[in-house]
Amino acid sequence: MKKLLNFDYACIHGTYWMFYGVASSFASVFLLANDYTNSEIGIVLAAANILAVILQPVTGDFADRTKRFSLVGITEMMTVMMIIMTVGLFVFRGRSYGLALVFILLIAWHTVLQPLFNSMTFKLEACGIHINFGIARSMGSLAYSVLVAILGSFVEKYGIMVMPVTGEVVLAMLLMSLVAAGRHYRKAEGRLLAEKMSTDIVKSDEEHESEINLIQFIRRNKMFFVLNLGVTGLYFSNSILNNYMMQIVSAVGGNSEDMGRILSLMAFLEIPTMVCFDLLRSRFSCQMMLKVAAAGFTAKIVLCWLADSVVMIFAAQLLQLVSFALFLPAMVHFTDEVISKEEAVKGQALFTTMVTITTVFSSLSGGVILDLGSTKLLTGIASLATAAGAVVFFLVTDKVKPRKHWTIQQQ
């Protein structure tokens, strides 16, 4: 059962990040080909993430409270909706409100899934199934790496309609992975419930249950909230590189194939760190790894700002090993360490919400800066924002105190 669920979870991450490559990383390519300006692309991406900011805490709160739907069941329904939405990429062609709406809905819905998948790790842990998040997430990076490299070449050769076809195939794979995970999860949950009933643990757990809202969560976890404000600065450069890599690469003489290879390299370099994350975690604290990652983010965007060729942009991605690759699993595990179990989904949702808010701001400002200024100006501003976020992490991380084993009544 343990091996099956680890395999299912790796497949979920793989297909999730593959679709991210289609819908988000290549959004600029698809929209530019449909005659959208950089500013309009920024508005579309920002609107998508504003919608996600609204949906994420609501969905997280619903997932924490509901007894009718399982976490896996919720993600299955959302994936089916995305399959239906992707049909719109075939229907709407050219610069239109319909195409913009499809992208907004797809990216928003996809973003909302991430904290649910992160929380699924710890739901499975509660059933006695250890999930190696680092390995699972590294499979996401590997799948993304392969897909964007191939997609970049295919788009250059066959045109942009390769993208929606790829998207539908990937979403079908995601749904199949979720169905398999749900089946195995229910079996594991059933076994755990039987064990609890035999030792009267169920009664004890019920005594600790209480209703929690988002405002109360922030009040109880003030320093964690401040730390997540730092995420908005730290992730600014990451969002700029993800959303506007096509424009950045074009400015130094590259094309969509070069962009695909750069994104592929970025993702591939995440794999060693994520695969070895459990080992790193046994030797270093999550606080230390978050500080190292903050410095890595800053150094990477500064090198992109200084780059005057595609080769230099390639070289800057080597820092992916100690930036995003280290930051994501460290932040997910750090959140699980410091947040009480009753608030687990909200804790993950807050982090993802801050990332989403950053994406909104970077999307809007990035498009305008590119239309009125240059890629140099864009990467320079991104360097300053990321450095500010890194300062917050260095000052605040050690001040966030663990609450994982506290109950709501004790707080």
Side-chain angles (χ1 to χ4, degrees):
M1 184 66 67
K2 176 182 175 181
K3 290 182 179 179
L4 286 172
L5 277 166
N6 269 276
F7 177 77
D8 293 338
Y9 195 65
C11 289
I12 288 169
H13 271 275
T15 49
Y16 174 86
W17 288 104
M18 286 170 74
F19 191 77
Y20 177 83
V22 176
S24 296
S25 298
F26 275 75
S28 283
V29 176
F30 195 87
L31 294 173
L32 283 171
N34 280 280
D35 301 321
Y36 286 77
T37 66
N38 290 314
S39 295
E40 288 169 341
I41 292 171
I43 291 171
V44 169
L45 296 175
N49 286 282
I50 289 171
L51 180 58
V53 167
I54 296 170
L55 291 175
Q56 279 176 333
V58 173
T59 307
D61 190 57
F62 175 74
D64 276 334
R65 294 171 184 263
T66 185
K67 304 298 181 184
R68 184 176 180 182
F69 301 103
S70 69
L71 192 56
V72 177
I74 293 169
T75 58
E76 287 173 351
M77 290 184 287
M78 292 176 68
T79 302
V80 170
M81 291 299 298
M82 289 170 63
I83 290 173
I84 296 170
M85 292 174 195
T86 304
V87 174
L89 298 181
F90 296 98
V91 176
F92 300 105
R93 304 294 295 274
R95 190 162 161 262
S96 66
Y97 289 114
L99 182 58
L101 180 61
V102 169
F103 259 98
I104 289 169
L105 293 174
L106 273 176
I107 294 173
W109 222 241
H110 181 263
T111 303
V112 170
L113 279 173
Q114 186 175 344
L116 300 182
F117 289 156
N118 290 345
S119 297
M120 198 181 296
T121 304
F122 306 109
K123 291 285 186 180
L124 293 171
E125 293 276 2
C127 290
I129 305 294
H130 173 65
I131 297 295
N132 191 317
F133 178 83
I135 290 180
R137 181 56 181 80
S138 71
M139 292 303 100
S141 296
L142 177 60
Y144 173 92
S145 175
V146 172
L147 182 131
V148 294
I150 295 173
L151 193 58
S153 298
F154 276 27
V155 167
E156 195 69 23
K157 187 173 182 180
Y158 301 111
I160 58 169
M161 294 313 294
V162 169
M163 291 173 55
V165 173
T166 305
E168 291 287 27
V169 172
V170 170
L171 286 173
M173 293 166 61
L174 174 59
L175 183 59
M176 287 188 288
S177 299
L178 286 168
V179 170
R183 185 171 63 251
H184 297 142
Y185 171 70
R186 283 187 290 273
K187 290 181 180 178
E189 191 177 39
R191 292 178 183 177
L192 181 67
L193 182 59
E195 293 174 6
K196 282 186 174 183
M197 290 179 68
S198 66
T199 56
D200 294 325
I201 295 178
V202 172
K203 181 178 178 180
S204 175
D205 282 347
E206 287 174 349
E207 291 173 354
H208 290 296
E209 287 183 359
S210 62
E211 296 295 317
I212 314 161
N213 63 47
L214 191 62
I215 301 301
Q216 290 173 327
F217 170 79
I218 293 174
R219 287 175 180 169
R220 291 188 180 110
N221 301 279
K222 291 184 180 67
M223 294 310 296
F224 180 74
F225 179 71
V226 172
L227 184 70
N228 274 272
L229 290 178
V231 171
T232 62
L234 204 60
Y235 254 71
F236 187 84
S237 62
N238 197 64
S239 298
I240 290 296
L241 293 178
N242 283 334
N243 292 335
Y244 296 109
M245 183 63 81
M246 184 70 242
Q247 291 88 333
I248 293 169
V249 170
S250 295
V252 292
N255 56 29
S256 64
E257 188 170 10
D258 293 317
M259 184 198 80
R261 288 173 178 171
I262 289 170
L263 293 176
S264 177
L265 176 64
M266 286 172 62
F268 185 77
L269 289 171
E270 295 168 6
I271 297 171
T273 303
M274 291 184 175
V275 167
C276 297
F277 184 77
D278 273 7
L279 177 61
L280 291 171
R281 192 179 172 208
S282 68
R283 299 188 178 187
F284 305 100
S285 68
C286 286
Q287 289 91 328
M288 175 61 71
M289 290 187 283
L290 287 173
K291 292 175 186 176
V292 171
F297 273 121
T298 306
K300 186 173 76 167
I301 189 61
V302 169
L303 288 178
C304 288
W305 172 56
L306 296 173
D308 59 5
S309 68
V310 173
V311 173
M312 288 187 68
I313 295 176
F314 265 106
Q317 307 319 311
L318 293 174
L319 286 163
Q320 191 79 346
L321 285 164
V322 291
S323 55
F324 183 82
L326 187 61
F327 185 83
L328 181 62
M331 192 65 184
V332 169
H333 280 281
F334 180 69
T335 299
D336 182 61
E337 289 175 2
V338 301
I339 300 300
S340 62
K341 64 185 180 69
E342 295 92 342
E343 303 173 308
V345 176
K346 289 185 186 67
Q348 299 296 342
L350 176 63
F351 165 54
T352 312
T353 297
M354 290 303 180
V355 171
T356 307
I357 290 172
T358 307
T359 306
V360 170
F361 181 69
S362 64
S363 298
L364 286 173
S365 60
V368 173
I369 292 169
L370 284 172
D371 280 341
L372 300 179
S374 64
T375 56
K376 281 291 183 184
L377 179 61
L378 179 61
T379 51
I381 292 173
S383 297
L384 293 175
T386 304
V391 170
V392 172
F393 265 77
F394 273 90
L395 294 177
V396 177
T397 304
D398 292 331
K399 297 181 181 180
V400 183
K401 303 304 179 183
R403 293 191 174 200
K404 181 178 179 181
H405 301 296
W406 291 22
T407 65
I408 295 302
Q409 286 87 346
Q410 287 174 317
Q411 293 183 45

